Amino acid sequence: LRGAWDGKLAQASFVLSGPFETPVQAHLQVPFSARQRELPELDHAAAIDGAITWHGQTNDLLEQLPLPDHLLHGQAVVDIQIQGSLDKLELTGTAGVSNGRYENLATGTVLEQFTLSSRFDDQGHAELSVQASDEGGGTLQVDGFMHALSELDLKVEMQNLMAARLDQLAAQV
């Protein structure tokens, strides 16, 4: 993490590297307003600029997080631009996972052919889509829309999906 401030503009860059091929990178520039002898304040109406980028195998990154019951293998691509202002944030770009396999070790859920895609427009809205199948041919389809990072509308369709598989329970929906 690196940062700089010139009295008007705060700049921060973040690079996360580890035992994965490509580091996660992010940067953000945020203006501050400063008056003499006062602490600087965020200028919520001024233009900001930033981005988050990464591509690589999801399992390489997720193994570094404290999520022991969740495994996700697949190819991830994140390319999100951040603009607008703090009052009216504008995200554009895409994020997704392809050729994936998700496992929840606590419930026995196994989803194959896992694909997640999201596309952000210049209003900060996102279209979301998830497709997957289980080992028995059941399917999961999720389509949704996120409104300005606050409200989420989802349509979930499951057909013969083995949603949980434990020694004492099997739930197929």
Side-chain angles (χ1 to χ4, degrees), residues 1 4 9 55 63 68 77 80 100-101 116-117 128 137 147-148 158:
L1 179 64
L9 185 67
H55 65 88
E63 287 173 358
V77 175
I80 298 174
R101 176 182 169 95
L116 175 140
S117 62
L128 309 168
H147 307 275
M158 293 180 264

Side-chain angles (χ1 to χ4, degrees), residues 90-114:
E90 297 174 8
L91 300 178
T92 56
T94 60
V97 175
S98 60
N99 300 318
R101 176 182 169 95
Y102 170 77
E103 297 178 61
N104 183 315
L105 302 178
T107 64
T109 304
V110 177
L111 299 175
E112 298 177 332
Q113 299 172 359
F114 181 91

